[in-house]
Amino acid sequence: MSDIINGNGHGNAESSGESSKAAGSIGIDPVTYNHSMNLTNWIFNVGYLHQDWADVHLTFFQSGLKAHRIVLARSPYLAHLMRNVAPGSTIHLNFADENINQESVHIALQHLYSPSHNLINPTNARSILATSHLFGGVPELVHHSYELIKSSISPQNIIDLIQWVSQSGDIRSSSSANGYAKSGSGNISSDDNWLEGESRCGEWTNRLKDDIVNYLLHQLPSSYPPSSMTTQPEITSIFSQLPYELFKLILENKQFPFGSMQERFSYTKKIISSRKKYLPSGPGGMEESVVLAFKGSDQGMEIHISRKPKKSRHLWKVEG
């Protein structure tokens, strides 16, 4: 826990004095400001660091914290757990969502005592988003985690992020290998609920879905010369692994840059061929196709991507 605490960065008396001058310059009473800062620092140091005057003991994973009900009650989730528990009791926190880990719980609890959003980084942002969304009462952590995940989207992590946001809101009653579900074979799920269904972190997951669409439509193509975009193995690999509904949304969208509709059609056929190795095989599998359709003499052409169950092939035995 020391690594987490050391990153908090509480200021000394000199910096506090400078802050009070800054507060006064924007119309905040310096006395009130200093009183608030001193109280916050006292609660953090005495309550969180030294764990004095505690009236509840939280345990989680291989760690724990002697804490204070009045502070923890900022979190609706923790307030609910403490409602029928006598002061001085020990409460063990269990999390079925394996995005939540010991570090993310410590950071969320620390933030209830004093701002700790500076401890979020691209490595732990998803865990902290899941934890802070579950806890509630820490909007700064939720927002900062979201912004960091959004700003970190790249060709290297886009498929992994899509798989993460694709998990349903029922994640608390399920588990996964490394904090987010990953298909060991890299297969495209046949149960495609990417565009619909309950999200794991509510509106924040939905925002990330919008960010993913924007990235695929605009940011990813703009990072390559238009003339060579369709020959980039990186883009082909990404589109070959997209959930069907997302794949259809991006390739049919006219905002995705192509020189002509014929080029869009040819490229989509290429991607569909590449996607075959990621689609589940055997009974119940799906097959995808694309057609180039004429909208009318004055409206040009468009492509339509579709999928349907694979036809089963029966072998007939002929007896002579």
Side-chain angles (χ1 to χ4, degrees):
M1 186 170 71
S2 60
D3 292 337
I4 298 174
I5 293 171
N6 289 339
N8 188 267
H10 282 266
N12 53 29
E14 182 178 351
S15 63
S16 177
E18 293 174 355
S19 297
S20 65
K21 292 179 181 178
S25 67
I26 58 175
I28 299 176
D29 178 24
V31 175
T32 301
Y33 178 82
N34 282 333
H35 180 274
S36 299
M37 290 303 300
N38 289 335
L39 178 60
T40 298
N41 289 335
W42 188 87
I43 292 174
F44 176 76
N45 284 286
V46 176
Y48 185 82
L49 293 184
H50 297 284
Q51 302 180 34
D52 290 336
W53 311 102
D55 56 4
V56 63
H57 185 200
L58 298 182
T59 60
F60 45 92
F61 300 100
Q62 304 301 313
S63 186
L65 178 73
K66 294 178 180 178
H68 308 80
R69 295 161 64 94
I70 188 64
V71 176
L72 299 185
R74 292 180 59 197
S75 158
Y77 172 77
L78 296 175
H80 175 74
L81 294 180
M82 295 186 297
R83 188 170 301 279
N84 296 315
V85 175
S89 300
T90 296
I91 300 175
H92 183 70
L93 304 179
N94 289 302
F95 307 102
D97 182 353
E98 292 192 10
N99 286 278
I100 299 175
N101 56 38
Q102 182 170 303
E103 179 195 28
S104 66
V105 174
H106 267 301
I107 291 174
L109 291 174
Q110 179 171 319
H111 191 78
L112 292 172
Y113 285 82
S114 184
S116 303
H117 57 279
N118 59 306
L119 300 175
I120 305 173
N121 58 60
T123 302
N124 63 20
R126 294 187 200 176
S127 297
I128 295 176
L129 177 59
T131 307
S132 55
H133 181 264
L134 173 65
F135 277 19
V138 284
E140 305 87 357
L141 280 190
V142 174
H143 185 264
H144 198 71
S145 300
Y146 158 75
E147 289 292 343
L148 197 51
I149 296 171
K150 174 185 174 181
S151 64
S152 301
I153 298 176
S154 71
Q156 291 70 42
N157 67 19
I158 184 69
I159 295 299
D160 186 57
L161 180 60
I162 289 170
Q163 292 175 338
W164 188 76
V165 301
S166 296
Q167 294 177 358
S168 70
D170 195 33
I171 186 65
R172 296 178 191 177
S173 60
S174 62
S175 60
S176 55
N178 295 303
Y180 44 88
K182 294 180 69 176
S183 174
S185 61
N187 285 348
I188 301 170
S189 172
S190 59
D191 181 18
D192 192 346
N193 64 346
W194 196 87
L195 296 179
E196 298 180 356
E198 185 182 358
S199 301
R200 58 158 63 241
C201 292
E203 66 168 301
W204 299 99
T205 303
N206 292 332
R207 290 188 187 189
L208 285 173
K209 287 184 177 182
D210 290 339
D211 297 328
I212 288 170
V213 170
N214 180 68
Y215 178 83
L216 293 172
L217 276 179
H218 303 291
Q219 293 175 255
L220 180 63
S222 67
S223 61
Y224 300 95
S227 59
S228 66
M229 185 189 67
T230 58
T231 62
Q232 297 294 329
E234 190 170 53
I235 295 184
T236 300
S237 175
I238 290 172
F239 286 161
S240 296
Q241 299 177 70
L242 294 181
Y244 168 74
E245 292 293 345
L246 181 56
F247 165 66
K248 176 180 172 69
L249 174 67
I250 299 300
L251 268 296
E252 289 184 349
N253 196 310
K254 292 186 177 180
Q255 294 183 51
F256 191 84
F258 281 103
S260 67
M261 192 58 66
Q262 183 63 48
E263 182 183 359
R264 183 186 298 270
F265 174 67
S266 299
Y267 183 66
T268 303
K269 284 181 64 177
K270 173 185 173 182
I271 298 297
I272 287 177
S273 178
S274 177
R275 286 170 63 84
K276 289 180 180 178
K277 62 176 176 274
Y278 295 101
L279 290 169
S281 58
M286 306 291 288
E287 57 183 6
E288 301 171 350
S289 61
V290 59
V291 297
L292 184 61
F294 290 87
K295 298 177 64 178
S297 59
D298 60 341
Q299 298 183 44
M301 299 181 293
E302 63 184 7
I303 66 168
H304 289 295
I305 301 171
S306 61
R307 68 175 178 176
K308 60 183 179 180
K310 290 181 178 179
K311 294 181 179 179
S312 58
R313 297 179 179 178
H314 298 285
L315 298 178
W316 299 94
K317 182 179 180 181
V318 179
E319 295 183 0

